[in-house]
Amino acid sequence: MSTEEKPAAPRSLAEALRGRDDASLAALLRSRPDLVTPVPTDLTQLATRAGTRASVVRALERLDRFTLQTAQALAVAADPAPYAELLALMAGDDADPAVTAALPRALAGLREQALVWGGDDRLRLVRTARELLAPSARHPSPTGLGPTVREAAAGMSPGRVQEILAAVGLASTHDSVSAVAALAALFADRRRMAGVLAGLPEESRQVLDRLVWGPPYGQVTHDPAPHLRRLLERGLLLPTAPGTVVLPREAALHLRGGRAHRAPEPLPPAVEAAAAHPPRVVDATAAGQALTALATVEELLKDWDEGGPAVLRAGGLSVRDLKRTAAALDVPEPVAAFWAELAYAAGLLASDGEADERYAATPAYDEWRELPTAERWARLAGAWLTATRAPGLVGGRDAKDRTLSALGPGLDRSAAPEVRRRVLGLLARLPEGSAPDEGSLLARLDWERPPRGDRRERADDDPRTLLARWTLSEAELLGITGRGALSAPGRALTGAPEAPAPGAEGTGAGDSGAGDAGAGASGTGASGGGAGARGGAGGAGGAGGRGSARSGARGPVAAGAHHPAPADGQPPEPGAPAGPGDKLPVHHRTPPVTAPPTAAERAAAAARAARLLAPLLPEPLDHVLLQADLTAVAPGPLERPLADVLGVLADVESKGGATVYRFTPGSVRRALDSGRTAADLHAFLAAHSRTPVPQPLTYLIDDVARRHGRLRVGAASAYVRCDDDALLSEILADKRAAPLGLRRLAPTVLAAQADPGALLEGLRSMGFAPAAESAAGDVLITRADARRTPPRTPPEPVPDGPPVPDDVLLAAAVRAVRAGDLAATAPRKPAADGSGAATGPGELPRTGAAETLATVQAAVLTGGTLWIGYVNAEGAASQRVIAPVGVEGGFVTAYDHTADEVRTYPLHRITGVAELADEVP
């Protein structure tokens, strides 16, 4: 028989945390990063912070459905509850084997996140979580259960309680407390409760059937019907307010077969494939769409080269400008909003910041255009993947009922990057070339992160559901997917592993709830959370070895008593305990919470995606096909210099597999305005056309060039000069020139009241080809890319709470918390004079300057360890455990167990000292 003393059960969450090892604490801080900002001073403060309402709400919102159902079941169980009671609430009377196998994992996830603590015989839900999840009249529980008999009968008269006891065949008692307890015991007894229900008429049973799965409240009149009166007489319906009755929790559980939930969901639903395509077809389709995406973004910014639409006073594009942009791009307005938002997220588009603020391309756009085609796509796709702006919201209304505009405020959704990566991650788990069934994909996401309130009837309006739908459509527009299936470049962009072989299960091991990288963001058992796989915090407690020994001695359960957790869907090992225990034996087996990829990881993934996309793209062409109808056909993507010149010389008439350009007098004039001569244009077309230059095109260029520049416009306010005074007379005689306010100053000069820009446009609309000139009389050359904003940085994503800490920060945080807890809990000697330096929990020691100096000097001579209070230069107070090695010049040099290093402290910043009591071996 073992003589080892059984460790005492933890009495609080703080004590339960002290029993954890460093890896388990690191897992807690990783799954709930808000707890580490700022780093808690000790484990008591960590436990307090973990129980605050904001932190608990955030943790509950990141649980998967089954883990949340487990927490909800604990909220309606006794406090504390044994593991057997929780298992009965989840698995029911029929002991569902799937629920039985998955429950230890879910409970381990709740323990890991410090939402549940205590041994398997005394499971306790954190008080704040119980208050949030327990049923009440104002906030019904998602389980549909009502109050217990004791809670519902709290306002009933003693006589009425005794009447109920008599109606169900129980002996009367001397007080209401024992009477209520007897009634609750009756309802919880399966055999006796069946006898109570057996005598009810069918109408009464139908009433119970309507209330059993919730809501448990109903309305009755002052003179209820006979079948309702029978329920009231037997206490199966208890009054809670005038005219309102409730089905007691114990009675509802009997009618449900012991289940707290109608349909527990221990395993995530599988993502099913709706269609399968050859991988080569998927990649080719995605590559074609990637080219279309690049061309669309370039066309959008080219239209805004000379100054885009004005910025609204509140920010963003007006509805009219969005419609114009959609018409110019020949796409629906939501798609036009997506392309504008994509260019903005990539840093290619911004407002110019001028008084008359307008949107324009940024200098980064010119750099982006010079990149290879595949790299340009990778930059766009990477910007979309990390952006928090949701273009799908454009046209909706905000909380103040204001319309949400493209490029305007109010479009950021911090969950967008996570949802995009999760959707693409689920696509990556399908066999190569398989397109998912949208319903099953959304059901999987809904299981991993249930909507608030767990009301599935609102799932279609859930923000994450909308983001997932938008992700599928936007990924197709970008060429990340092709025909609904994830392409090879898209798979590389997400950092996903190679696709499973055809015929493999759609989501592989991830569908069982373990090994699911995306769900790991929730930090639950199904979603990962262990720090062991990531290295944890490591170390020996950070307090010179003292912390580790102390925490190990206080652990509630010996490490050797644990059995490995069963794999999902498998029965537990023989001899394994009924529950997972409080030392989290499974947290080393579950995957860690996956932090968003770093900038270096994103850059490496984008480079790999670009390498995979490059062979799928056609080589740029250096020629076009000129036709006699003043059009040119580009049978594929053109080389950058050729595309730039042709984009100025001609207008795009149609796009698709081949792009058709049309030459017009206006487009030729635009080329002449850019500084080219007619001879330059003839030579350019002859060099880049596989067909002879048509005669109509030659005549068009020569005719526009002959008239180009005969009129010169300058600034007077504005003037027009021309060597041909007959031409000026013709302009004056034209009625269309009246708005320009022209008058003749000399035979060859006209003055105008309009500014030079308006004068140029007015004359061009009349069919003339004027040229702008400088004050020196030189022709001003205009270029299409002349308007650029000052250098702009892409918009910063809006973070979804504190970032997940890395391993280095976790190790330092765990070490600091351990050492701080050692300083706060170390036993201290009472002061010799009886006044005592010992203080209350969390308070700093207080001693005089002389006493502080004498105590420190004595510790140097004896090699003792001291507990000190210290205030740094910023005024932050802390407790520390130090071993002084020298005192000189008003400074004490000591080994600081809190920082695990030798430090020097000014004596005037030490608030007080106390000797630590000798430790008991």
Side-chain angles (χ1 to χ4, degrees), residues 38 444 593:
R444 175 60 175 267
V593 176

Side-chain angles (χ1 to χ4, degrees), residues 693-707:
V693 179
Q695 193 176 47
L697 180 56
T698 302
Y699 287 167
L700 174 65
I701 294 174
D702 290 340
D703 181 59
V704 174
R706 183 170 54 255
R707 295 184 291 112

Side-chain angles (χ1 to χ4, degrees), residues 133-144:
L133 299 177
S136 66
R138 293 187 177 182
H139 304 284
S141 169
T143 61

